[in-house]
Amino acid sequence: MAMRDTLDFLLYGWLQSESLNQRERFADHSRETFDAVLDTCERIAREKFAPVNRLLDTQEPHFDGERVHLPQATREALDAYVESGMLSAAQDYENGGMQLPCTVEMAANAFFSKACIALGGYAMLTNGNANLLMAHGTPRQREVFAKAEFEGRWFGTMCLSEPQAGSSLSDVATRAEPDGADSENDPLGPRYRLRGHKMWISAGEHELRENIVHLVLAKIPGPDGKPVPGVRGISLFIVPKWLVDAEGQLTGERNDVVLAGLNHKLGYRGTTNCLLNFGEGRHQPGGQGGAIGYRVGAPGEGLKAMFHMMNEARIGVGLGATMLGYAGYEASLAYARQRPQGRPLTATGKDAASPQRPIIEHADVKRMLLAQKSYVEGALALELFCARLVDEQHTAEAEAAGRARLLLEVLIPIAKSWPSEWCLEANSLAIQVLGGYGYTRDFPVEQHWRDNRLNMIHEGTHGIQALDLLGRKVVMEGGAALMALARRINETISAAGQVPGLAEAANQLAQALAQVGAATKAAWATGEPEAALANATPYLQAFGHTVLAWIWLDVVLALAPDDTRDFAQGKRAAQAYFFAYELPRIAAWLAVVQRREALCREMQDAWF
Amino acid sequence: MAMRDTLDFLLYGWLQSESLNQRERFADHSRETFDAVLDTCERIAREKFAPVNRLLDTQEPHFDGERVHLPQATREALDAYVESGMLSAAQDYENGGMQLPCTVEMAANAFFSKACIALGGYAMLTNGNANLLMAHGTPRQREVFAKAEFEGRWFGTMCLSEPQAGSSLSDVATRAEPDGADSENDPLGPRYRLRGHKMWISAGEHELRENIVHLVLAKIPGPDGKPVPGVRGISLFIVPKWLVDAEGQLTGERNDVVLAGLNHKLGYRGTTNCLLNFGEGRHQPGGQGGAIGYRVGAPGEGLKAMFHMMNEARIGVGLGATMLGYAGYEASLAYARQRPQGRPLTATGKDAASPQRPIIEHADVKRMLLAQKSYVEGALALELFCARLVDEQHTAEAEAAGRARLLLEVLIPIAKSWPSEWCLEANSLAIQVLGGYGYTRDFPVEQHWRDNRLNMIHEGTHGIQALDLLGRKVVMEGGAALMALARRINETISAAGQVPGLAEAANQLAQALAQVGAATKAAWATGEPEAALANATPYLQAFGHTVLAWIWLDVVLALAPDDTRDFAQGKRAAQAYFFAYELPRIAAWLAVVQRREALCREMQDAWF
């Protein structure tokens, strides 16, 4: 079954994406225009991205002390991406965009992530960077920087982490000081000099485009000359690699941002990942050291602005993890169909003289493929559902938009974390299906597994997602987000209860939902964060599995009960697999949450 | 806590290994002699193996079409290993050995696996090869080949798999035909000419030693000129890379075994892994093509002979997986103790102005470390327990030896599979503790994870272990092995029931054991293998977790109840963690076994 069939079914059969054209913003669109975008992206991904995926892994970016060297294939593939117009696909017509719904934009980007996740990184960062400027930048910042990014003339980065501050952004130490007497009057925005180090900067240095637009979190010293502690002290700055004038023309002057070194990674090797030094004086823009940056938004509002785009960034990471899982699923399915090995078990034993059979006939291989299918197709459905919520939030009438916002709040930690964990597991199963061959670099599955291991780390680690979910999202606004989700899940349960063959699953999901609710309450029963949150990760896992079970049940509800095509049977089997093999896992995870198991938090360093 | 403390406790405090010297074979030994061996191995591993672990990963073996090139460090480290005498440590005094118990031999080898698993591969294969010849070879085969291997002058391989026959050895296609009229009269054994291809041959080609002793499975054609189908047709042959005379002197003549190519792997890169061509005529020993091989044992008994050493080989693989997990645990523990990031949660929130705290103070980091501790120390205990059973089998009086044999039968699939799965998970958790740094090649944890991924594949895949356990081991001899294990576990349950603080765990384990027993019975209720075995892998997982829970409970029983040292508290915490977070997982795995869930075996190819 080609992925496109599943994608089409999820978009049109399940999410009714065609109906989006009833919204004014999408009035010019139709299934035809959506399909045209999907066709184009599927083709470019197949023709330009997929063929270079291994090459970009093997020929890792190399820093000679002056310049970064990337394989030529990187530029060629990204040129094709830029030409597709996808960088600005969701933007307004007046800004050169095509007002594409987020749902379709994400679906289209899925092809690129599956073909070569490392290339997708450049695009995702540039798009996120420009979107942030559209939301928080001045008209001129939008015109100069965002526009060049949407057009793909410049690429963007997000500079948050520092060597000593990863998950703990409140400890950002990069300083920004006003750049002279006229600093407030720069047409590009209040001008500062930045000094500090930024770590893990993807796409932080390259020569793929004529400029790089760094978005940098830094602290402006207070009246006492010291940075304000905590996240309240953080502001946001545009720091271009090459300086530009008020019309966005390159002045030829190099800003004081210097590559200190490339990180050599386990995977995702085609995306340069850098330690950048800001303001060390290597370059002297305007005759002095210090990286020139233009403030975006008000002082102290930097993190808020950065987090404005967080939902879409986290859907993007979750989708990337999903598509790596999908790529492994496809590769191992193809292998299992053509690899002969062993013979079926029968009551009379095996006949060694009979020819070997394709391994897809073995129950355990089918189990490994079905597990992958349930993970990757379920995760894809979840990501598209969340993308649809983004569209709802932006274009539906107020009440529906508000409901979508609440659902997104509570689903985003799952959309980011669940595929990172389970589509990685899918990648491991793909290796296992291939056996020894899967362990070699002659097949793609080992690279998928290496690439995917990043996704539980970046864009907020698993542990951070868990704290966000149990510590913030399920308790926010008096539990409103959790209740909104429960209502939505109960709609599915009610509908499934009416369908022969799904009633038992509906009942199982209802029980799971009740268990999650009870555990949530029990976790917070004492009101002490350290007691509630000590088991936040098992809670995240149980919550995630419950959400995925709901998604699967909702997806199969979109099939006609009398639909017996292979496609429909496959979806039903994956749903049934998830309910039989996966959903029952939540009991073990929730048990420790429910009783506020104190073992881990009471563990002492000296006992290890 | 240094690993040595845990190892000493397991060997002496738990397994009472000193008492082995009451057996005649080990009468000269004592804790002092055991400790001397451990000290030596710990030192060589630290000084010679650990420093080259990354180098051997980076400078992968390279084949120029004629010769294989390995880093010089490979030879130097292996020279030190050979000089330690460990290759023959368990052999009789009269064969140059030190009659070391298997328990101590395995414990000593653990240090090497932790320091550099890829180097350990050469030693393990050579030792296993020579042991097999001691059991099944003629006196001269032992004197010529095994002796040279025990002395480390030659290294050995095991040539089982072929490109078209991995798990399915009955499909071995390599042929062996008698080599001329005098073929039965060769002093080195019945002489044959072998022709075929062998895949995944670790240590299959190198110039580390003056010769390589291949042990090769091949089929002797029957009277009709065709190989006998199935495993009954398989015989075993010694195929030296360089031919030797009856006294074991190299004749200078090259045998017709040729490296066809190296496999480029995800990990374990320091061990060459090869496709070997036998008998293609590249070399012409005795004036004609065909690889000369000397039969070991009777025709058709090849697989039986090969499997004779299987228990120790599988303990070795499980121990290797365990030690990779241990290495990651140590690295992530050290990192967590020194890496400042974030602040503890308190009821009043966090004080951003206070200094950051080491991440080991966060509950979720402690959870990840405690999970690793419970996996790797538990697995180490299991492997040593199994090694002790090997000693029992060989040196105890008949009844105890018989009991040990039965326990080994049923524990070996767990000893091989459980660490392969869960110490790999430990490696993933180690990466997670290090965050972005863990994803770089500047830290060792990503290599551990890559290296360890092999262990679920080689020496019998996870699926094969599962079939062995549920299809053979738990039903053999009328269920005698399973009953022997249940009796042993019940001894632990009874003892723990008397200890304050362990009674609840004893009860939990008793329930788990009952559930495993019930699921075993239910799986076989219809007597149909295809129904019983469709969920063999979830059964293996549940069985494994139950065994590990028992091992942990048994281990903490060896602590004095009033022992409140950090060491003892740590062991208790790991046991408690395993019972709180891990053992409850078995319910989900067993549910599908219990009801003979048919979903996977009924899944159809076309539905994927």
Side-chain angles (χ1 to χ4, degrees):
Chain A
M1 215 65 72
M3 181 183 107
R4 182 63 184 272
D5 296 328
T6 292
L7 199 62
D8 285 347
F9 168 67
L10 293 175
L11 284 178
Y12 303 118
W14 179 50
L15 290 176
Q16 306 293 329
S17 303
E18 276 175 279
S19 69
L20 282 166
N21 70 3
Q22 291 157 22
R23 310 266 166 85
E24 193 187 332
R25 181 172 179 79
F26 308 126
D28 294 345
H29 282 292
S30 63
R31 174 151 184 180
E32 283 64 40
T33 63
F34 295 161
D35 282 351
V37 171
L38 295 175
D39 291 346
T40 303
C41 291
E42 187 174 11
R43 182 180 51 74
I44 298 174
R46 184 180 61 241
E47 293 176 358
K48 304 289 183 182
F49 276 48
V52 303
N53 190 43
R54 176 60 80 172
L55 178 83
L56 266 54
D57 180 65
T58 318
Q59 296 184 19
E60 201 175 13
H62 161 66
F63 179 41
D64 65 11
E66 288 293 324
R67 297 176 52 201
V68 170
H69 301 272
L70 297 171
Q72 177 65 14
T74 311
R75 182 191 297 265
E76 288 161 9
L78 288 170
D79 283 351
Y81 183 86
V82 165
E83 281 159 27
S84 76
M86 281 303 291
L87 276 171
S88 61
Q91 294 305 307
D92 296 352
Y93 295 132
E94 64 176 45
N95 296 323
M98 33 179 152
Q99 296 192 182
L100 205 64
C102 182
T103 315
V104 181
E105 184 192 21
M106 288 283 179
N109 276 325
F111 292 109
F112 298 108
S113 295
K114 179 153 74 76
C116 183
I117 193 84
L119 285 169
Y122 295 94
M124 200 164 102
L125 286 161
T126 299
N127 185 259
N129 178 310
N131 274 326
L132 194 157
L133 291 176
M134 293 306 286
H136 297 279
T138 63
R140 192 174 290 267
Q141 288 173 338
R142 300 203 294 260
E143 180 64 22
V144 168
F145 298 103
K147 194 172 172 217
E149 293 185 275
F150 285 132
E151 292 171 7
R153 291 185 286 115
W154 305 346
F155 281 168
T157 75
M158 300 286 199
C159 301
L160 287 76
S161 300
E162 301 183 357
Q164 84 299 343
S167 293
S168 178
L169 285 174
S170 63
D171 293 289
V172 154
T174 299
R175 293 166 67 101
E177 293 178 271
D179 183 33
D182 70 336
S183 66
E184 285 293 319
N185 304 323
D186 198 296
L188 292 173
R191 198 179 62 245
Y192 289 75
R193 291 280 181 164
L194 277 71
R195 291 180 177 81
H197 312 280
K198 289 290 176 181
M199 185 59 162
W200 312 120
I201 310 309
S202 287
E205 177 57 8
H206 55 76
E207 296 178 1
L208 295 166
R209 287 297 178 267
E210 62 183 10
N211 207 358
I212 300 174
V213 181
H214 301 291
L215 279 179
V216 184
L217 294 182
K219 289 189 173 181
I220 304 167
D224 60 353
K226 291 185 188 159
V228 179
V231 296
R232 287 168 299 115
I234 300 175
S235 304
L236 180 66
F237 303 87
I238 300 166
V239 181
K241 174 180 169 185
W242 294 95
L243 293 172
V244 299
D245 65 20
E247 272 66 52
Q249 298 299 312
L250 295 171
T251 64
E253 192 170 24
R254 182 75 154 78
N255 204 352
D256 192 13
V257 189
V258 175
L259 177 62
L262 292 175
N263 292 309
H264 297 285
K265 293 170 293 177
L266 171 59
Y268 253 91
R269 291 185 183 167
T271 311
T272 56
N273 187 275
C274 315
L275 174 59
L276 295 177
N277 288 346
F278 289 79
E280 289 215 320
R282 170 82 173 275
H283 299 284
Q284 306 267 324
Q288 54 171 298
I292 290 178
Y294 308 98
R295 203 182 68 227
V296 180
E301 301 279 307
L303 206 60
K304 210 171 115 190
M306 194 62 101
F307 273 63
H308 180 94
M309 304 314 301
M310 196 53 90
N311 283 354
E312 280 158 83
R314 289 184 170 167
I315 295 171
V317 169
L319 185 61
T322 302
M323 298 322 295
L324 282 167
Y326 218 118
Y329 169 57
E330 289 184 344
S332 60
L333 179 57
Y335 182 89
R337 283 179 165 149
Q338 59 79 22
R339 167 75 176 174
Q341 187 87 176
R343 292 153 189 90
L345 279 172
T346 69
T348 56
K350 299 181 197 175
D351 175 10
S354 66
Q356 300 203 66
R357 302 294 306 154
I359 61 172
I360 199 170
E361 297 184 16
H362 301 310
D364 197 52
V365 173
K366 288 195 272 194
R367 181 189 61 81
M368 293 191 280
L369 292 169
L370 204 40
Q372 290 179 67
K373 183 178 171 76
S374 81
Y375 297 155
V376 305
E377 293 185 357
L380 178 58
L382 170 66
E383 302 304 329
L384 293 176
F385 188 90
C386 288
R388 175 63 187 254
L389 290 177
V390 171
D391 286 322
E392 293 299 299
Q393 190 183 2
H394 294 153
T395 66
E397 39 73 39
E399 197 189 316
R403 209 162 47 231
R405 179 189 66 83
L406 278 176
L407 285 175
L408 265 181
E409 292 280 14
V410 76
L411 285 177
I412 286 295
I414 304 303
K416 195 276 173 182
S417 68
W418 200 88
S420 304
E421 180 170 1
W422 297 97
C423 296
L424 178 69
E425 177 62 20
N427 289 139
S428 185
L429 289 169
I431 293 175
Q432 195 69 20
V433 169
L434 272 75
Y437 292 98
Y439 197 68
T440 70
R441 307 204 295 280
D442 298 330
F443 287 83
V445 290
E446 63 86 26
Q447 186 186 344
H448 300 145
W449 189 61
R450 283 187 290 110
D451 286 351
N452 218 351
R453 188 60 189 81
L454 178 61
N455 288 313
M456 286 210 307
I457 298 172
H458 70 167
E459 231 15 78
T461 63
H462 229 50
I464 293 294
Q465 302 301 326
L467 293 177
D468 184 42
L469 179 67
L470 183 53
R472 274 184 6 100
K473 298 303 182 60
V474 300
V475 292
M476 66 184 280
E477 301 175 27
L482 184 57
M483 282 186 282
L485 179 64
R487 270 193 301 274
R488 181 64 189 80
I489 292 178
N490 277 319
E491 287 171 26
T492 305
I493 291 170
S494 296
Q498 312 302 314
V499 177
L502 292 181
E504 199 185 327
N507 192 31
Q508 198 186 338
L509 180 58
Q511 285 176 31
L513 184 61
Q515 286 164 25
V516 169
T520 312
K521 207 172 271 183
W524 282 106
T526 66
E528 300 164 311
E530 63 272 42
L533 300 177
N535 295 292
T537 297
Y539 179 81
L540 178 80
Q541 292 173 303
F543 200 103
H545 259 51
T546 303
V547 164
L548 264 288
W550 155 59
I551 289 281
W552 263 118
L553 193 58
D554 208 64
V555 165
V556 297
L557 276 174
L559 296 166
D562 60 353
D563 185 347
T564 56
R565 291 171 308 146
D566 291 339
F567 179 88
Q569 299 289 49
K571 295 289 173 278
R572 290 190 192 104
Q575 174 265 315
Y577 175 88
F578 202 88
F579 277 72
Y581 288 76
E582 296 294 331
L583 187 55
R585 296 185 188 218
I586 69 169
W589 289 318
L590 290 177
V592 291
V593 179
Q594 178 84 36
R595 66 170 183 264
R596 295 183 300 283
E597 176 60 60
L599 188 65
C600 294
R601 68 189 180 95
E602 290 176 354
M603 181 70 187
Q604 294 181 23
D605 182 341
W607 297 354
F608 281 110
Chain B
M1 213 69 69
M3 181 184 106
R4 182 62 184 272
D5 296 329
T6 292
L7 199 62
D8 285 346
F9 168 67
L10 293 175
L11 284 178
Y12 304 117
W14 180 49
L15 290 177
Q16 306 293 329
S17 304
E18 277 176 279
S19 68
L20 282 167
N21 70 3
Q22 290 157 23
R23 309 267 165 84
E24 193 187 331
R25 180 172 179 80
F26 309 125
D28 293 345
H29 282 293
S30 63
R31 174 153 183 174
E32 284 64 39
T33 63
F34 294 159
D35 282 352
V37 171
L38 296 175
D39 290 346
T40 302
C41 291
E42 187 173 11
R43 180 179 53 74
I44 298 174
R46 184 179 61 242
E47 293 176 358
K48 303 289 182 181
F49 276 48
V52 303
N53 189 43
R54 177 59 79 172
L55 178 83
L56 265 54
D57 181 64
T58 319
Q59 295 184 19
E60 201 175 12
H62 162 66
F63 178 41
D64 65 11
E66 289 291 326
R67 297 176 52 201
V68 170
H69 301 271
L70 297 171
Q72 178 65 15
T74 311
R75 181 190 298 265
E76 287 162 8
L78 287 170
D79 284 350
Y81 183 85
V82 166
E83 281 160 27
S84 75
M86 281 304 290
L87 275 171
S88 60
Q91 295 305 308
D92 296 353
Y93 294 134
E94 64 177 44
N95 296 320
M98 33 178 151
Q99 296 192 182
L100 205 63
C102 180
T103 316
V104 181
E105 183 192 20
M106 288 283 179
N109 276 326
F111 292 109
F112 298 107
S113 296
K114 179 153 74 76
C116 182
I117 192 85
L119 285 170
Y122 295 95
M124 201 163 102
L125 285 161
T126 300
N127 185 260
N129 178 310
N131 274 324
L132 194 158
L133 290 176
M134 292 307 286
H136 297 278
T138 63
R140 192 174 291 265
Q141 287 174 339
R142 300 204 295 259
E143 179 63 23
V144 168
F145 296 104
K147 191 169 174 220
E149 294 186 276
F150 285 133
E151 290 172 7
R153 291 185 287 114
W154 304 347
F155 281 168
T157 76
M158 300 287 200
C159 300
L160 287 76
S161 299
E162 301 183 358
Q164 84 298 344
S167 292
S168 178
L169 285 174
S170 63
D171 293 289
V172 154
T174 298
R175 294 165 66 101
E177 293 178 270
D179 184 32
D182 69 336
S183 66
E184 286 293 321
N185 304 323
D186 199 295
L188 292 173
R191 198 177 63 244
Y192 289 74
R193 291 279 181 163
L194 277 72
R195 291 180 178 82
H197 311 281
K198 289 290 175 180
M199 186 57 163
W200 313 121
I201 310 309
S202 286
E205 177 56 11
H206 56 75
E207 297 179 359
L208 295 166
R209 288 297 179 266
E210 62 182 13
N211 206 357
I212 300 175
V213 181
H214 301 292
L215 279 179
V216 184
L217 293 183
K219 289 189 174 181
I220 304 167
D224 61 353
K226 290 185 188 159
V228 179
V231 295
R232 287 168 299 114
I234 300 175
S235 303
L236 179 66
F237 303 87
I238 299 168
V239 181
K241 175 181 170 185
W242 293 96
L243 293 172
V244 299
D245 64 20
E247 274 64 53
Q249 297 300 312
L250 296 171
T251 64
E253 193 170 23
R254 182 75 154 76
N255 204 352
D256 192 12
V257 189
V258 175
L259 178 62
L262 291 175
N263 292 309
H264 297 286
K265 293 169 293 175
L266 171 58
Y268 253 91
R269 292 187 181 163
T271 310
T272 56
N273 186 273
C274 314
L275 174 59
L276 295 178
N277 288 346
F278 289 78
E280 290 215 318
R282 170 80 173 276
H283 299 285
Q284 306 267 325
Q288 54 173 299
I292 290 178
Y294 308 98
R295 203 183 69 227
V296 179
E301 301 278 309
L303 205 61
K304 211 172 116 189
M306 193 62 101
F307 273 63
H308 181 94
M309 304 314 302
M310 197 52 90
N311 282 354
E312 280 159 83
R314 289 184 170 168
I315 295 171
V317 169
L319 184 62
T322 302
M323 298 321 295
L324 282 167
Y326 218 117
Y329 169 56
E330 288 184 345
S332 61
L333 178 58
Y335 182 88
R337 282 178 166 149
Q338 59 78 22
R339 168 73 175 175
Q341 187 86 177
R343 292 153 189 89
L345 280 171
T346 68
T348 57
K350 300 181 195 174
D351 176 8
S354 66
Q356 299 203 68
R357 304 293 307 156
I359 61 172
I360 199 169
E361 297 185 15
H362 301 310
D364 196 53
V365 173
K366 287 194 273 195
R367 181 188 61 81
M368 292 190 281
L369 292 168
L370 204 41
Q372 290 179 68
K373 183 178 170 78
S374 81
Y375 297 154
V376 306
E377 293 185 358
L380 178 58
L382 170 65
E383 302 303 331
L384 294 176
F385 188 89
C386 288
R388 175 62 187 256
L389 289 177
V390 172
D391 286 322
E392 293 299 300
Q393 190 183 1
H394 294 154
T395 66
E397 39 72 39
E399 197 190 316
R403 207 162 46 231
R405 179 188 67 82
L406 278 176
L407 284 175
L408 265 181
E409 292 279 13
V410 77
L411 285 176
I412 285 296
I414 304 304
K416 194 278 174 180
S417 68
W418 199 89
S420 303
E421 180 170 2
W422 296 97
C423 296
L424 177 70
E425 176 62 20
N427 288 139
S428 185
L429 289 169
I431 293 175
Q432 196 67 20
V433 169
L434 270 74
Y437 292 98
Y439 197 68
T440 70
R441 307 203 296 279
D442 298 330
F443 287 83
V445 290
E446 63 86 28
Q447 186 186 344
H448 300 146
W449 190 62
R450 283 187 291 111
D451 286 351
N452 218 350
R453 188 62 188 79
L454 178 61
N455 287 313
M456 285 211 305
I457 298 172
H458 69 167
E459 238 4 86
T461 64
H462 230 49
I464 293 293
Q465 302 300 326
L467 292 177
D468 184 42
L469 179 66
L470 183 53
R472 276 185 3 102
K473 298 305 182 58
V474 300
V475 291
M476 66 184 279
E477 301 174 26
L482 184 57
M483 283 187 281
L485 178 64
R487 270 194 299 275
R488 180 64 189 79
I489 293 178
N490 277 320
E491 287 171 27
T492 304
I493 290 171
S494 296
Q498 312 301 315
V499 177
L502 292 182
E504 198 185 327
N507 193 30
Q508 198 185 339
L509 180 58
Q511 285 175 32
L513 184 60
Q515 286 164 25
V516 169
T520 311
K521 207 172 273 184
W524 283 107
T526 65
E528 301 164 310
E530 63 273 42
L533 300 177
N535 295 293
T537 298
Y539 179 81
L540 179 80
Q541 292 173 304
F543 200 103
H545 259 51
T546 303
V547 164
L548 264 287
W550 154 58
I551 289 281
W552 263 118
L553 193 58
D554 208 65
V555 165
V556 297
L557 275 174
L559 296 167
D562 60 354
D563 184 347
T564 57
R565 290 170 309 145
D566 291 337
F567 178 89
Q569 299 289 48
K571 294 289 172 278
R572 290 189 193 104
Q575 175 265 316
Y577 175 88
F578 202 87
F579 277 72
Y581 288 77
E582 298 293 333
L583 187 55
R585 296 185 189 219
I586 68 168
W589 288 318
L590 289 177
V592 290
V593 179
Q594 178 85 36
R595 66 170 184 264
R596 294 184 301 284
E597 175 61 59
L599 188 65
C600 294
R601 68 190 180 96
E602 290 176 355
M603 180 71 184
Q604 294 181 21
D605 182 341
W607 298 353
F608 281 109

